[in-house]
Amino acid sequence: MERLESKIMLNKPVYLVGFMGSGKSSVGKMLARKKGFTVVDADKYLEDREGRTISQIFAEQGEDRFRDLETKYLHELSGDPQIICTGGGVVKSETNRKIMKENGFVIYLKVTADAAASRIKDKSSRPLFKDLESARKIITERAPLYEEAADAQIDTVGLDVWQISSKVFQTLKENDLVVHI
Ligand code: S3P
């Protein structure tokens, strides 16, 4: 009998990684809305589970504590075939890179500091986005880690959320990550 309705989902977790402002969360929202994927924002998940904002965690307990929590919840989220929008610093930890490699597929959304700065409206919620110069420095430091973690890369500069989402969807299809149920 012909299927009346078809739903798409992933066959393993897909991690969106990239610097702040690369579009991870916006692309996640778009793919949830337009394609019906299950999408979770790792930072938001962490804040909900901890009952505190990331800025509060940084201010009260520092970056190291935030990183430990990030690893704990990344592990927790990696059991389901869903899109996981990670925080920009997730690749700093070797454990996190290993969790992602072993459990799923990693898509690196590339961005420059200038493009990121023009996309980020609320910088107060991002304790590590101080100014352009420090953003450039962090991107340069992290670039090899993003590249090491990545199974696929998408250059997002000059693209809007819709265009980046289409490229991500294309990447999912090309890598046989999408299943119809
Ligand atoms: C961080 C990026 C943030 C958040 C935290 C640290 C980073 O996530 O996890 O402020 O180290 O780059 P977004 O990339 O979603 O802004």
Side-chain angles (χ1 to χ4, degrees), residues 20-37:
M20 295 172 265
S22 57
K24 300 168 302 238
S25 301
S26 309
V27 165
K29 281 186 196 141
M30 175 84 74
L31 289 172
R33 203 170 62 239
K34 297 284 181 194
K35 299 289 181 191
F37 287 116

Side-chain angles (χ1 to χ4, degrees), residues 92-168:
K92 284 177 78 176
S93 143
E94 192 183 344
T95 307
N96 293 351
R97 298 197 300 274
K98 197 157 171 262
I99 291 173
M100 296 192 290
K101 263 278 171 281
E102 281 175 1
N103 290 285
F105 189 90
V106 179
I107 303 180
Y108 169 27
L109 303 183
K110 293 174 81 166
V111 70
T112 59
D114 294 78
S118 67
R119 285 180 193 162
I120 297 176
K121 284 168 195 75
D122 178 19
K123 294 189 181 54
S124 69
S125 66
R126 289 170 163 101
L128 292 185
F129 200 112
K130 295 196 176 72
D131 51 53
L132 255 183
E133 203 181 315
S134 68
R136 280 195 194 111
K137 190 166 166 278
I138 299 176
I139 291 185
T140 308
E141 278 166 12
R142 287 184 187 167
L145 302 177
Y146 288 128
E147 274 158 28
E148 182 199 315
D151 294 300
Q153 304 190 17
I154 295 170
D155 189 352
T156 71
V157 176
L159 304 183
D160 63 23
V161 177
W162 172 255
Q163 291 167 319
I164 306 168
S165 304
S166 301
K167 287 192 177 231
V168 170

